[in-house]
Amino acid sequence: MSIFTPTNQIRLTNVAVVRMKRAGKRFEIACYKNKVVGWRSGVEKDLDEVLQTHSVFVNVSKGQVAKKEDLISAFGTDDQTEICKQILTKGEVQVSDKERHTQLEQMFRDIATIVADKCVNPETKRPYTVILIERAMKDIHYSVKTNKSTKQQALEVIKQLKEKMKIERAHMRLRFILPVNEGKKLKEKLKPLIKVIESEDYGQQLEIVCLIDPGCFREIDELIKKETKGKGSLEALNLKDVEEGDEKFE
């Protein structure tokens, strides 16, 4: 016995649905699971790796394909690939409650891990454990946002935690070796980007060991390369200005 499938139906499995409402109608596209985030972040650039089919649906789960006249009315075109790109970029990803819960838990843990890795107690210079950062995030009732990256949210968490506990971005320790002639003038330009100068040694070259905010590293690196025409060097001595051991969070 053969089963008749209407021509406007397409059956798909293992699918992530992205939905958009336009002109009073619902439009959906069928994507491979875990590929939507990659596309939106720019990691995945091949549309065929993201879309299961270049068709636009009114209901993916029922396999109902959108009508041509509805597409033109809503998007001003019937080019399904272009419409898929619009929905993929701006639409809302549909996930089950279980999937959403798992995703939120994982993102919560990832954010806590980034914060623990990037921060210290400013008094002891010791890092906090991931578990203690997770507990602090729960205490401030931090709510994970699925449409923002974990790095962006980690910066938000740090700002919020500063109001409740002693925490700051860990400093990066650097060593500059600069030609003496350019070194003195360059040091003045570098000063606003340096937190603490730990040592200076004037010999045949100017050697400076200092602490900076990690966010300034690229700017410092580019400034040294430009001003010394490649003769100066920059070395990261460590990524954190921390003492050994974990800070216990009360």
Side-chain angles (χ1 to χ4, degrees):
M1 177 181 173
S2 63
I3 299 173
F4 173 70
T5 303
T7 55
N8 71 332
Q9 286 194 347
I10 299 173
R11 296 291 183 185
L12 297 163
T13 57
N14 190 32
V15 64
V17 176
V18 183
R19 180 183 297 163
M20 177 185 277
K21 287 185 179 177
R22 269 282 180 92
K25 293 186 181 294
R26 184 177 78 179
F27 299 96
E28 298 180 345
I29 57 173
C31 304
Y32 292 104
K33 288 192 173 182
N34 305 321
K35 288 289 186 176
V36 178
V37 174
W39 174 269
R40 288 180 173 180
S41 65
V43 173
E44 181 57 71
K45 293 181 171 59
D46 186 349
L47 197 60
D48 291 327
E49 289 292 319
V50 184
L51 296 177
Q52 293 213 13
T53 170
H54 287 241
S55 298
V56 180
F57 299 80
V58 291
N59 190 313
V60 168
S61 62
K62 292 181 180 178
Q64 295 174 346
V65 182
K67 294 176 183 176
K68 180 177 178 180
E69 55 265 32
D70 288 341
L71 294 176
I72 292 172
S73 173
F75 296 95
T77 179
D78 62 350
D79 184 333
Q80 301 222 11
T81 298
E82 285 306 310
I83 295 169
C84 282
K85 285 181 182 178
Q86 284 191 48
I87 297 173
L88 185 57
T89 303
K90 299 177 182 176
E92 184 180 338
V93 182
Q94 308 299 303
V95 293
S96 68
D97 289 342
K98 185 179 178 182
E99 284 178 317
R100 186 179 295 278
H101 182 70
T102 302
Q103 181 189 13
L104 290 174
E105 276 191 337
Q106 185 59 52
M107 287 185 75
F108 190 89
R109 194 171 297 115
D110 290 346
I111 293 165
T113 301
I114 293 169
V115 174
D117 188 52
K118 302 290 185 189
C119 295
V120 293
N121 180 318
E123 292 183 353
T124 64
K125 303 299 182 188
R126 290 181 175 178
Y128 289 107
T129 64
V130 174
I131 292 171
L132 294 176
I133 294 296
E134 284 183 339
R135 189 191 303 168
M137 286 169 65
K138 287 173 184 173
D139 287 344
I140 63 171
H141 307 292
Y142 186 78
S143 179
V144 173
K145 302 165 190 69
T146 54
N147 62 340
K148 283 190 171 184
S149 74
T150 50
K151 285 185 178 179
Q152 284 177 310
Q153 292 185 77
L155 292 173
E156 289 177 8
V157 167
I158 292 168
K159 285 179 186 175
Q160 292 183 32
L161 289 181
K162 279 182 176 179
E163 297 175 10
K164 300 290 183 182
M165 60 189 282
K166 292 169 183 173
I167 188 169
E168 68 175 21
R169 290 285 299 273
H171 291 145
M172 179 184 283
R173 182 177 279 111
L174 299 180
R175 178 190 288 126
F176 312 140
I177 298 177
L178 310 170
V180 172
N181 293 340
E182 294 96 336
K184 290 179 182 178
K185 190 168 73 172
L186 181 52
K187 179 188 162 187
E188 294 305 310
K189 292 185 179 181
L190 290 169
K191 263 186 179 177
L193 303 172
I194 295 172
K195 290 283 185 184
V196 179
I197 293 179
E198 293 188 327
S199 67
E200 290 182 62
D201 182 18
Y202 287 88
Q204 291 182 327
Q205 294 176 307
L206 170 58
E207 181 178 318
I208 299 173
V209 176
C210 63
L211 300 177
I212 67 157
D213 185 310
C216 296
F217 179 83
R218 184 175 294 176
E219 190 177 348
I220 289 171
D221 187 33
E222 288 174 354
L223 188 60
I224 289 175
K225 283 178 182 174
K226 180 184 173 185
E227 295 292 328
T228 67
K229 297 181 172 58
K231 294 176 183 175
S233 67
L234 171 60
E235 179 187 1
L237 300 179
N238 61 12
L239 293 178
K240 287 185 183 178
D241 175 33
V242 297
E243 302 294 335
E244 291 300 317
D246 292 321
E247 176 65 25
K248 296 293 180 280
F249 179 55
E250 298 300 331

